[in-house]
Amino acid sequence: MKSLFLLQVPVSNPDMISALAAEPTVEKLRVLDLVFLPGSLWIMVPLLIMFAVAIYIFVERWLTISKAAKEERNFMNNIRDFIHSGKIESALALCKGNSTPLARMIEKGITRIGKPLNDISAAIENTGQLEVHRLEKRVSILATIAGAAPMVGFLGTVVGMVIAFHGMEANPNNVNIKDLSGGIYTALITTVAGLIVGVTAYIFYNIIVSRISQVIYMLEAKSTEFIDLLHEPV
């Protein structure tokens, strides 16, 4: 009965009623809000462009390298059979029918058959270097973005901090902690964005370089196999 009585006691203080009814609200941060903050937009736009370029180069190079790494089944066996049978034209036609770096390297070697093996090997090696150069096209841009994006983001932070503290110096008697913290918070966003773009581009760069290394190893192994088959007795 006593507890029931306490629950029925009226509360006469309106401030207490409003305090009990009020619920704390926490403002949620959204990614788009962070990206398009007015104070950091001049830095976020270049970072977004860098991020888009990094993604494009990564996808385009990945597809190109994956295509270059594919090898038609029994390709080298067919080349061996054609060469041992004296069907040089058939071997060339097989190479021309495969649009891969390996096929173009072997085609160059077949066109040099009859010349010293050193000349054949040099021709294949030169063609291989050109093919590797094609595979590495635009990869250096990924490395540039990986290094430049964090610095661009840090530049935005430094400029934002300078602006925030300059405002404090201009109005020392009217310093608003909310405005100051907002300016610093806006400035730090660019550093976060720059690090995200830089780390992403760095990971993309290393993945592509690793894939190119695998293709180079495959091309070297197959070119050696081609030179060896020229030594085989017919």
Side-chain angles (χ1 to χ4, degrees):
M1 293 296 291
K2 185 177 181 180
S3 61
L4 181 61
F5 173 77
L6 290 175
L7 290 175
Q8 293 177 348
V9 174
V11 180
S12 59
N13 190 342
D15 294 335
M16 184 179 297
I17 295 175
S18 60
L20 292 174
E23 295 182 359
T25 57
V26 179
E27 184 179 355
K28 294 183 179 180
L29 292 177
R30 295 185 301 175
V31 175
L32 290 179
D33 294 337
L34 296 177
V35 171
F36 295 106
L37 285 173
S40 60
L41 198 59
W42 65 281
I43 285 292
M44 297 300 287
V45 170
L47 289 176
L48 285 174
I49 294 174
M50 289 182 183
F51 190 63
V53 170
I55 292 177
Y56 169 78
I57 293 175
F58 174 75
V59 173
E60 188 270 336
R61 286 294 88 191
W62 178 271
L63 295 176
T64 300
I65 296 169
S66 297
K67 182 180 178 181
K70 290 182 179 179
E71 178 189 357
E72 182 182 345
R73 189 175 182 181
N74 296 324
F75 175 77
M76 291 303 299
N77 291 333
N78 292 332
I79 292 294
R80 177 183 287 102
D81 294 339
F82 285 142
I83 291 178
H84 288 175
S85 302
K87 300 178 181 179
I88 304 300
E89 294 299 327
S90 298
L92 288 174
L94 179 61
C95 292
K96 292 178 180 179
N98 289 270
S99 182
T100 61
L102 174 61
R104 288 188 284 269
M105 287 174 58
I106 300 302
E107 179 184 358
K108 180 63 66 173
I110 292 174
T111 58
R112 296 293 192 273
I113 289 180
K115 296 184 178 181
L117 290 178
N118 290 336
D119 293 345
I120 298 176
S121 179
I124 293 175
E125 182 178 353
N126 292 335
T127 304
Q129 291 177 354
L130 293 175
E131 295 297 333
V132 171
H133 179 71
R134 291 193 185 101
L135 294 178
E136 293 176 343
K137 187 179 180 181
R138 290 189 290 271
V139 175
S140 60
I141 298 178
L142 283 178
T144 301
I145 293 176
M151 291 189 291
V152 172
F154 185 65
L155 172 63
T157 295
V158 172
V159 173
M161 297 287 283
V162 169
I163 293 174
F165 285 104
H166 179 267
M168 288 180 59
E169 183 184 13
N171 300 293
N173 298 324
N174 191 23
V175 176
N176 190 327
I177 189 64
K178 183 177 179 180
D179 295 338
L180 176 61
S181 61
I184 297 175
Y185 152 78
T186 302
L188 291 174
I189 293 298
T190 61
T191 293
V192 175
L195 289 173
I196 292 174
V197 175
V199 170
T200 302
Y202 181 73
I203 293 173
F204 285 170
Y205 173 79
N206 282 281
I207 291 175
I208 294 300
V209 168
S210 176
R211 289 285 291 161
I212 292 175
S213 297
Q214 294 174 5
V215 175
I216 292 174
Y217 177 79
M218 183 269 292
L219 294 177
E220 290 177 348
K222 295 301 180 180
S223 62
T224 301
E225 181 179 349
F226 176 76
I227 296 297
D228 290 341
L229 74 86
L230 295 180
H231 287 281
E232 296 176 359
V234 181

